[in-house]
């Protein structure tokens, strides 16, 4: 499903670029939560994106489900199922791809009080991301706050010229 999602996003870029009323130099991606994590994978393989806002994202499903807060998820799986899952998911973990995002400009937004994406997971993604990148932390939970929304709009205005 994750590989298909990336293929679908690439086809969406194809469709946008085929339209006469779309400026190829102003295509951006915005992903929130799971979309933020998948955006890290997407920008690592898609070179036609000018800017990407990855909001409350982490390094991917392996990162997400292997922290101390997720022991119950892994404990409920058989050993064989865990091994199969890791073999399938590790090669496509978004944190492994984000390093290839340049020259796409990145905005990474996370909340200090996020109970779904721990700060350490967000920080790992931030560190793996190449320049140019802008990192913003907010005194907020997983839903962030209005300031994060305004900051994202300002950043997109600067990068792709939205009004």
């Amino acid at each position: 499903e994750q590989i298909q999602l990336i293929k679908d996003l690439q086809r969406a870029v194809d469709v946008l670029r085929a339209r006469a009323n779309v400026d190829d130099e102003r295509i951006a991606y915005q992903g929130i939560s799971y979309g933020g994590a998948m955006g890290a994978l997407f920008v690592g393989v898609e070179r036609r994106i000018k800017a990407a806002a990855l909001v409350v994202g982490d390094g991917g499903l392996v990162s997400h489900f292997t922290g101390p807060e997720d022991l119950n998820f892994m404990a409920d799986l058989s050993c064989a199922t865990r091994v199969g899952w890791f073999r399938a998911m590790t090669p496509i973990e978004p944190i492994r791809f984000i390093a290839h995002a340049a020259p796409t400009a990145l905005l990474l937004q996370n909340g200090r009080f996020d109970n779904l994406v721990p700060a350490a997971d967000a920080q790992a993604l931030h560190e793996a991301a190449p320049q140019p990148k802008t990192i913003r932390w907010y005194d907020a939970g997983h839903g962030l706050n209005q300031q994060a929304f305004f900051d994202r709009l300002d950043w997109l205005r600067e990068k792709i010229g939205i009004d």
Side-chain angles (χ1 to χ4, degrees):
E1 291 174 3
Q2 197 167 298
I3 292 168
Q4 187 61 54
L5 172 61
I6 301 307
K7 288 179 180 180
D8 292 346
L9 289 170
Q10 288 181 300
R11 297 301 74 79
V13 173
D14 293 341
V15 169
L16 286 171
R17 289 172 54 95
R19 295 183 56 90
N21 64 340
V22 173
D23 182 347
D24 292 354
E25 298 300 314
R26 295 178 63 205
I27 298 174
Y29 173 87
Q30 174 183 282
I32 300 171
S33 193
Y34 178 74
M38 293 304 101
L41 172 54
F42 180 52
V43 298
V45 298
E46 178 55 69
R47 299 285 174 254
R48 300 171 294 171
I49 300 294
K50 175 78 172 172
L54 309 180
V55 183
V56 296
D58 60 17
L61 294 175
V62 174
S63 300
H64 188 80
F65 287 119
T66 55
E69 67 282 353
D70 298 305
L71 290 177
N72 290 338
F73 172 76
M74 286 291 151
D76 291 342
L77 301 176
S78 71
C79 184
T81 300
R82 279 195 305 267
V83 168
W85 187 81
F86 279 111
R87 283 187 179 149
M89 298 305 291
T90 300
I92 58 172
E93 185 73 343
I95 200 166
R96 298 169 57 115
F97 288 83
I98 196 167
H100 306 289
T104 301
L106 302 174
L107 172 64
L108 300 117
Q109 294 180 300
N110 289 88
R112 289 184 182 90
F113 311 119
D114 192 333
N115 63 339
L116 297 176
V117 177
D121 290 357
Q123 186 64 36
L125 183 65
H126 298 175
E127 289 172 6
Q131 294 292 344
K133 65 182 171 184
T134 303
I135 298 169
R136 297 278 187 260
W137 286 94
Y138 300 89
D139 289 330
H142 195 66
L144 294 185
N145 54 30
Q146 191 172 34
Q147 186 59 53
F149 176 73
F150 291 144
D151 290 350
R152 190 163 51 255
L153 289 178
D154 287 343
W155 185 85
L156 285 166
R157 183 178 304 113
E158 175 188 324
K159 299 302 177 194
I160 62 166
I162 64 169
D163 12 338

